[in-house]
Amino acid sequence: MQLAIKASGEGAKALSFLLAKNPQNLYDRTEKGYRVRLTYTVFAATEVEVVLFVTPDPVELVKNSPDAFKITQYINDREFVVSSLFCSYVRSALGTALNGRTLEEYLPWVNHPFKLNLCFGPLASDMSDSVVRRLFEPLAYDVNIEYGQTGYQFKLKDKSSARFLNLQGEVTLQNALKHLYVLIPALDNYKHYFMDEREIEKLQRYGEGWLAEHPLNEVIIKRSLRFRELIDKVPPELKSKTSEYFNSDTIYETLAQGSNESVESLQEQEQEPQREEQNPEISWKPEEPQINDAKPVVTLNEQRYQAIVKIIERLPSKETIVDFGAGEGKLSVRLGNIPQVQEILAVEPTEKLLLRAIKRFAQASLQDGYVSPIPLWGSFYYYDERMRNKDVMILGEVIEHIDEYRLPRVMETIFGSYQPKTLIMTTPNVEYNRIYEMQEEVRHKDHRFEWTRAEFAQWSNKWASQYYYMVDIDGIGLEVEGVGHPTQIAIFTRQVGLEK
C-alpha cells in the first residue's frame, strides 16, 4: 500500500515542515505487524515528493488471528490494499499535517494551496471508475485511474477491481489528507475495527467545510458508517444541504454498482422495488391475479427460491437435503417447512454469511414442527463425508463463482463422491444480459463465467452422461423469445444401479 504526495511550484519545500518529517531521515516504524516507511524521493526548491509505503508481515497476518482457520482467509486482500487499515497509518505518520499542527513560523503554510499530485493504491473498490471520479472531481481534482499490468493468462484478472488513483489539484495539504481520510474508507466500504459514534466524530472533524456540500454526501456517509443506528445519528450539519436526506438505500446501492444516473433522478426512483443482495437482475411482475389493480413485484431471487421449493415438494425422496453455497440461509430456511423433510445441511464457506444464516435459522425454529437447517462451514474443495448419499443437493447460483477449469474436479466430487439422488443447479443465462442493457460481461463481479443456453445444456448433458444421471433443463423468470429465461436450471436424477 502506498501514498505519494508531490508538491510543485514555489514554496514546495514547506511540505516537509507541514509533515514534520526531515528529508534527511527515513521514517521507519512497525505498527501492529505492518512496516510503515516514509521517504522523500524528490526534494528540490520547486518540487517535493514524499512516499508513504506500508507492507504487512505475512506471518503476523495469521498469527493469533480469529480468521486463521477461515477457508477464504487465504484470498483476503484487505491487508494488501488501501483501506481503513491504511488510513490508520496515514493518521499516525501524517497526523501533524492532517490536523494542521506545525511550528508557529510555518502556520501560514497550513492554509497555502499547493499544486498537489496525490497517487495512492492499490485500491480494491466495488465502485466503478465513473463513480470514483464523481467522488473526487467535485473537490476540484483531476482524476486519472490506472490499472496494473499482469502476466496472468486467465480471464479473471481482466475484471479486477484493483487500481491506482492519481489526483491533481490546487489544494492545501491538510484538506487533501482530510479528503483521503474520509473517502478511502468510503471507496473500500470496509472497516477493520469496532464502530461506534466516534466514527461520526471523525466525519465531523475531517469532513468539515466540504462533506455537507458534496453531491454524493449520502453515499459517503452511508458507506462510512455502514450501520443504520449510526447513520440515523448523523447531525444535520453533516447532511447534504442541496437535497432531502433519504431513508432508503436506492442511491447508495445504485451508485455503488456504477450507475451513471444523476442523484436527482435516483431520488425520484426511491419508491421502486429494491434489488436483492445487490444483484443487478430486474424484478418482474408475475402473471397472477391482481389485488386492488396492483400486481405484487417478485424479484428473480424470490422466483428461484419458489421454483426450487416446488421442485423439491414434488420429489418422491426429499428427507435429506444439502444446500451448497447457502449464503445467508434465505433458501435453506424455507426448506424446513416442506413436508417429509427431516434434515437440511446449509453449507457455506464464508463465516460472516454463515453467522447471519444461524441467526435466521434460530428465528425460524420457533415455529412448531419446523425442521431447522444445520449450518456447516465447508467448501467444494474439501470433501465432507456428511454430504454423501443425500436425497437432494442444491447448487443455487453457485457454479458461476468457480473458475471454469476447476468445474470438472468439483463435479467429480458432487456426482462421483456425494452422489445425491437429485441435484438441482441454477446459473445465469448470459444471453439474457442484453435485456438488462448491461455493459458488463457478467452480472456480478465475482462471476468467473456465465453460460449461454447451449453451453449450459452441453455441460449438463456431459455430466449426466458421465455420472449416470438423467437431466431436465428449464428456465426461471420471464422468458423472452430468442433469449430464453434469465436463470437456467438443470435437475439431475441419479439412475439407481447404474452409478459408479
Side-chain angles (χ1 to χ4, degrees):
M1 299 174 273
Q2 66 183 57
L3 166 64
I5 306 172
K6 179 187 290 186
S8 305
E10 188 175 351
K13 282 190 174 182
L15 203 70
S16 65
F17 301 119
L18 297 178
L19 294 170
K21 299 293 184 292
N22 190 328
Q24 302 301 319
N25 299 330
L26 171 67
Y27 177 93
D28 195 340
R29 303 286 189 274
T30 299
E31 298 184 26
K32 299 179 181 179
Y34 286 76
R35 187 178 181 186
V36 183
R37 287 168 287 181
L38 184 147
T39 186
Y40 290 83
T41 54
V42 178
F43 193 78
T46 58
E47 184 176 280
V48 170
E49 183 179 52
V50 61
V51 177
L52 179 70
F53 195 71
V54 180
T55 54
D57 184 326
V59 176
E60 291 294 331
L61 283 180
V62 296
K63 185 190 295 183
N64 300 321
S65 169
D67 292 332
F69 298 100
K70 186 176 178 180
I71 290 177
T72 56
Q73 186 272 340
Y74 70 99
I75 59 172
N76 180 28
D77 63 359
R78 297 305 86 185
E79 290 86 358
F80 301 92
V81 297
V82 168
S83 65
S84 62
L85 283 167
F86 182 75
C87 284
S88 64
Y89 305 128
V90 168
R91 186 177 182 182
S92 61
L94 308 179
T96 301
L98 178 63
N99 294 300
R101 300 193 188 109
T102 187
L103 296 176
E104 186 174 356
E105 59 187 297
Y106 303 119
L107 282 176
W109 290 103
V110 172
N111 297 317
H112 175 75
F114 294 92
K115 291 182 180 179
L116 291 181
N117 187 321
L118 309 171
C119 177
F120 60 93
L123 171 77
S125 175
D126 60 348
M127 285 186 169
S128 69
D129 289 352
S130 63
V131 178
V132 172
R133 291 190 176 93
R134 292 166 67 185
L135 283 178
F136 289 100
E137 287 176 348
L139 302 173
Y141 292 106
D142 291 328
V143 182
N144 182 40
I145 301 174
E146 299 178 0
Y147 286 81
Q149 300 298 317
T150 63
Y152 292 102
Q153 299 299 315
F154 48 95
K155 194 174 182 180
L156 177 62
K157 286 298 175 182
D158 295 340
K159 298 178 285 185
S160 172
S161 65
R163 66 204 94 166
F164 279 84
L165 267 63
N166 287 277
L167 311 177
Q168 291 183 325
E170 193 163 335
V171 62
T172 69
L173 177 61
Q174 182 184 18
N175 284 341
L177 293 177
K178 284 182 176 181
H179 297 157
L180 297 184
Y181 196 69
V182 171
L183 294 180
I184 285 176
L187 280 165
D188 184 64
N189 197 25
Y190 171 80
K191 295 292 188 297
H192 69 287
Y193 51 82
F194 176 76
M195 296 179 62
D196 55 23
E197 293 184 15
R198 286 174 291 185
E199 296 302 306
I200 299 177
E201 295 173 3
K202 289 180 184 178
L203 291 182
Q204 288 178 299
R205 185 163 62 250
Y206 300 115
E208 182 181 5
W210 64 273
L211 182 54
E213 305 297 332
H214 199 289
L216 300 188
N217 168 272
E218 296 94 336
V219 177
I220 297 168
I221 289 176
K222 282 178 174 284
R223 289 176 69 97
S224 297
L225 300 181
R226 300 186 66 188
F227 302 109
R228 174 58 61 187
E229 54 267 29
L230 289 180
I231 295 170
D232 289 342
K233 295 178 181 179
V234 173
E237 60 267 23
L238 269 184
K239 298 178 181 178
S240 174
K241 295 180 176 60
T242 58
S243 62
E244 182 180 353
Y245 200 73
F246 57 92
N247 292 320
S248 75
D249 290 338
T250 305
I251 299 175
Y252 157 61
E253 288 186 355
T254 308
L255 286 177
Q257 293 296 327
S259 170
N260 290 320
E261 298 180 79
S262 67
V263 172
E264 291 76 13
S265 66
L266 290 169
Q267 286 173 326
E268 294 174 357
Q269 300 172 20
E270 282 192 50
Q271 301 305 317
E272 293 297 314
Q274 297 292 299
R275 292 175 296 178
E276 186 172 350
E277 296 179 342
Q278 295 185 352
N279 195 322
E281 296 162 346
I282 293 175
S283 299
W284 298 103
K285 298 179 180 179
E287 296 298 329
E288 295 181 358
Q290 295 188 22
I291 301 176
N292 297 327
D293 297 325
K295 294 182 180 180
V297 177
V298 181
T299 65
L300 184 55
N301 279 327
E302 177 63 25
Q303 292 182 58
R304 276 196 293 263
Y305 298 153
Q306 292 178 3
I308 292 172
V309 168
K310 288 180 181 178
I311 291 169
I312 295 175
E313 287 175 339
R314 295 194 296 264
L315 293 175
S317 298
K318 49 180 171 288
E319 287 77 16
T320 56
I321 302 176
V322 176
D323 184 8
F324 241 127
E328 299 180 11
K330 292 183 178 180
L331 173 60
S332 298
V333 76
R334 298 167 185 239
L335 304 177
N337 288 313
I338 299 177
Q340 300 179 31
V341 171
Q342 300 176 7
E343 178 190 68
I344 305 162
L345 303 181
V347 185
E348 171 59 39
T350 306
E351 181 181 0
K352 181 179 179 180
L353 297 180
L354 198 58
L355 289 173
R356 293 178 183 174
I358 291 172
K359 183 178 180 180
R360 178 174 276 110
F361 299 157
Q363 293 173 341
S365 63
L366 299 177
Q367 307 172 43
D368 292 336
Y370 180 78
V371 179
S372 183
I374 301 170
L376 291 181
W377 178 61
S379 167
F380 287 123
Y381 308 117
Y382 301 87
Y383 175 77
D384 191 330
E385 181 70 23
R386 292 172 292 181
M387 258 79 87
R388 276 183 54 83
N389 298 320
K390 299 301 181 183
D391 292 320
V392 183
M393 183 171 285
I394 304 167
L395 305 182
E397 305 300 289
V398 170
I399 61 170
E400 64 272 11
H401 295 272
I402 305 169
D403 292 314
E404 195 169 354
Y405 72 89
R406 290 185 170 184
L407 280 179
R409 183 66 186 91
V410 169
M411 292 305 152
E412 169 62 29
T413 301
I414 297 295
F415 288 109
S417 298
Y418 291 151
Q419 296 186 347
K421 291 181 181 178
T422 301
L423 175 68
I424 302 172
M425 179 189 301
T426 72
T427 191
N429 170 17
V430 71
E431 297 173 77
Y432 209 91
N433 290 355
R434 66 183 179 89
I435 304 300
Y436 297 138
E437 298 181 357
M438 293 174 55
Q439 297 179 355
E440 298 82 2
E441 292 182 3
V442 293
R443 298 184 199 174
H444 190 277
K445 63 181 180 180
D446 190 51
H447 287 187
R448 271 47 171 179
F449 65 89
E450 288 178 4
W451 281 333
T452 64
R453 290 171 292 170
E455 289 171 329
F456 183 59
Q458 179 183 358
W459 277 92
S460 298
N461 286 315
K462 178 181 178 181
W463 292 328
S465 174
Q466 183 175 349
Y467 295 102
Y468 303 98
Y469 278 74
M470 289 184 60
V471 61
D472 292 317
I473 299 173
D474 205 340
I476 300 173
L478 183 67
E479 184 177 13
V480 175
E481 185 177 358
V483 174
H485 301 270
T487 292
Q488 308 186 77
I489 182 169
I491 306 165
F492 298 85
T493 305
R494 193 173 75 191
Q495 302 302 288
V496 179
L498 298 178
E499 67 272 17
K500 292 182 179 180

